[in-house]
Amino acid sequence: MTRTTTAAPPLTVSTRILDDPGAVLRHTLRDSPLAFVRNGDGIVGIGEALRFTFRGPERMREASAVWRTIVQDAEVDDPVQLRGTGLVAFGAFTFADDSAETSVLVVPRVVIGRRRGKAWLTAIDTTDSPEPLAFTRTSVPVPHVGPHVSVPLAPGRIDEVAYAEKVADAVRRITAGDAEKVVLARDLVGRLPRGADQRALLLDLAEAYPQCVTFAVDGLVGATPETLARTDGTRLSARVLAGSAARGSDAASDRAAAEALAASAKDVEEHGFAIQSLLAALRPIASDLRADPEPFRLQLPNLWHLATDVQATLPVGTTSLDVADALHPTAAVAGTPTDVAVRLVAELEGADRGRYAGPVGWLGANGDGEWMLALRSAQITPDGTVRAWAGAGIVAGSDPAREVAETRLKFRPITDALA
């Protein structure tokens, strides 16, 4: 674990009701946004009060321990008492234990949020802040956002031909009994124009995919539909997505696509592996597990997904990040059995996913928060490089051409937003 300074200074945190700030995504920073927004509700961060980075298999456990220390030492004044008020941190964690990229936990200096028709502003000061934040405002101006960001994306480390070959190899390995399911991904790469306003990209994603979470943490941006862990006190909820089909071009073909997905043995099998994996990971840490008896068809603008919602009860004191650590990686992003699938992903892809398919989200001082899987996403590096990833679950009945087509569909949130 590393940090920008050797020890975390105590924090002073104040939350107050704010007049309507407009679209909260407009209020984060243009070149280093922090955001977690769904259907217009959520939180954005401005600046950094504290920043921690982590590596290795203990990265989420270390982050959870650091967070408990920060909370213990903080002085919090939060009369608003809504999800996302008071002291919060944003986080993004790598998919693999041995990733060369870092995982990050960021406490912003300012948070602007909206929920249940109320808006708020939180100021977070450190004792070593050069300019402590004065809390006198009840309204904030709506910032101007730069023009639409256009970035041509080209094949990255794994092009379509190589991906199809890797899928065929995975099917052979599965048929031979090495695994039951492997999730393989490929990448596209491009470069942001100089001075691009990343908030424009976030606003485009939020408009096109309002029911997904539009997120931004340390250059990782996207709009994901899959909830890894959402906690509210001792209540836990998660949503598993596995199995997908393209939307139809009209009402009749769209209905036929949804019905074909529900009847697809390949997709139902893939979904079954994902839900079994999640439930198996939850049993040691949760009680009263409840899952939909059958998957439902989740409608997104470009895809139908098979989806299952899961509910459970957690022990007192368990944070949302603790749960994310226990669940990651699920079969939805790795495969089955998990340990074998993770090794096959590394072997067959031959590339570092970084934070793609890892947990991304936020948590508050009481441990409540929400962690999504970083899907339909791209990592933007300080030099402007954009690397997007999309994957598909491979089982014995997978066809390489169909899996290539599925990844094209899953790239669309990013490619359309950057078109």
Side-chain angles (χ1 to χ4, degrees):
M1 180 193 76
T2 60
R3 188 186 167 268
T4 51
T5 61
T6 56
L11 300 177
T12 301
V13 184
S14 299
T15 298
R16 297 291 184 270
I17 288 292
L18 187 67
D19 293 341
D20 183 4
V24 292
L25 286 170
R26 291 179 169 269
H27 291 275
T28 191
L29 299 181
R30 60 181 292 133
D31 56 354
S32 54
L34 291 165
F36 193 96
V37 176
R38 180 195 284 116
N39 278 321
D41 279 4
I43 55 174
V44 302
I46 303 168
E48 296 184 0
L50 296 174
R51 174 189 179 88
F52 301 87
T53 56
F54 309 87
R55 280 192 170 93
E58 303 294 318
R59 58 198 180 283
M60 280 179 270
R61 285 182 283 281
E62 289 180 356
S64 190
V66 166
W67 183 242
R68 286 182 167 93
T69 299
I70 292 170
V71 170
Q72 179 180 335
D73 295 340
E75 181 181 329
V76 180
D77 176 22
D78 177 17
V80 182
Q81 294 293 311
L82 290 173
R83 281 180 66 83
T85 62
L87 177 60
V88 299
F90 294 82
F93 294 85
T94 57
F95 170 80
D97 290 350
D98 60 355
S99 174
E101 296 192 22
T102 59
S103 300
V104 66
L105 196 67
V106 175
V107 180
R109 290 209 74 199
V110 174
V111 177
I112 292 177
R114 180 202 299 278
R115 197 174 307 277
R116 299 178 187 172
K118 292 183 178 179
W120 66 88
L121 187 149
T122 298
I124 302 173
D125 282 337
T126 63
T127 54
D128 61 2
S129 295
E131 296 179 2
L133 297 174
F135 209 129
T136 59
R137 293 178 295 175
T138 61
S139 63
V140 292
V142 178
H144 169 75
V145 175
H148 169 79
V149 178
S150 181
V151 178
L153 295 176
R157 298 161 183 159
I158 306 169
D159 63 19
E160 290 190 357
V161 173
Y163 184 75
E165 293 171 350
K166 293 173 188 293
V167 170
D169 196 3
V171 170
R172 286 192 289 270
R173 303 287 287 271
I174 291 168
T175 303
D178 291 356
E180 295 175 286
K181 173 186 174 182
V182 180
V183 180
L184 293 182
R186 64 185 180 94
D187 60 331
L188 299 174
V189 66
R191 186 173 293 275
L192 281 180
R194 187 179 297 276
D197 191 335
Q198 294 179 30
R199 295 172 301 179
L201 170 59
L202 299 179
L203 288 166
D204 285 345
L205 288 168
E207 181 179 7
Y209 297 87
Q211 69 275 59
C212 295
V213 168
T214 298
F215 62 86
V217 181
D218 196 40
L220 182 69
V221 299
T224 179
E226 189 153 1
T227 304
L228 180 64
R230 182 186 190 276
T231 63
D232 187 357
T234 59
R235 295 191 299 274
L236 166 71
S237 59
R239 171 167 288 180
V240 176
L241 305 182
S244 58
R247 296 288 305 276
S249 58
D250 53 40
S253 63
D254 197 37
R255 184 167 57 252
E259 292 172 353
L261 175 63
S264 165
K266 179 263 182 188
D267 289 290
V268 170
E269 179 185 33
E270 180 188 340
H271 188 83
F273 288 136
I275 188 63
Q276 291 162 20
S277 165
L278 185 88
L279 292 175
L282 276 177
R283 287 189 184 102
I285 64 166
S287 60
D288 191 26
L289 268 67
R290 288 155 286 140
D292 296 330
E294 298 290 337
F296 64 92
R297 290 162 291 185
L298 177 67
Q299 177 182 314
L300 296 178
N302 64 323
L303 284 172
W304 286 102
H305 276 296
L306 293 180
T308 295
D309 285 337
V310 176
Q311 310 288 329
T313 301
L314 297 168
V316 174
T318 306
T319 71
S320 58
L321 188 53
D322 294 334
V323 181
D325 176 47
L327 296 184
H328 178 75
T330 68
V333 292
T336 305
T338 302
D339 55 346
V340 175
V342 167
R343 290 196 296 270
L344 284 174
V345 166
E347 175 188 338
L348 294 173
E349 289 181 358
D352 189 340
R353 289 182 173 184
R355 298 168 183 167
Y356 165 71
V360 60
W362 69 275
L363 79 165
N366 63 357
D368 285 349
E370 190 166 3
W371 297 89
M372 310 293 288
L373 290 174
L375 308 174
R376 320 300 194 264
S377 64
Q379 181 72 51
I380 302 173
T381 60
D383 68 358
T385 299
V386 179
R387 188 174 301 276
W389 288 86
I394 313 305
V395 295
S398 292
D399 171 67
R402 178 184 170 184
E403 305 304 338
V404 169
E406 182 173 323
T407 57
R408 289 193 200 115
L409 286 169
K410 290 178 176 177
F411 273 125
R412 274 191 53 191
I414 294 297
T415 57
D416 287 356
L418 293 175

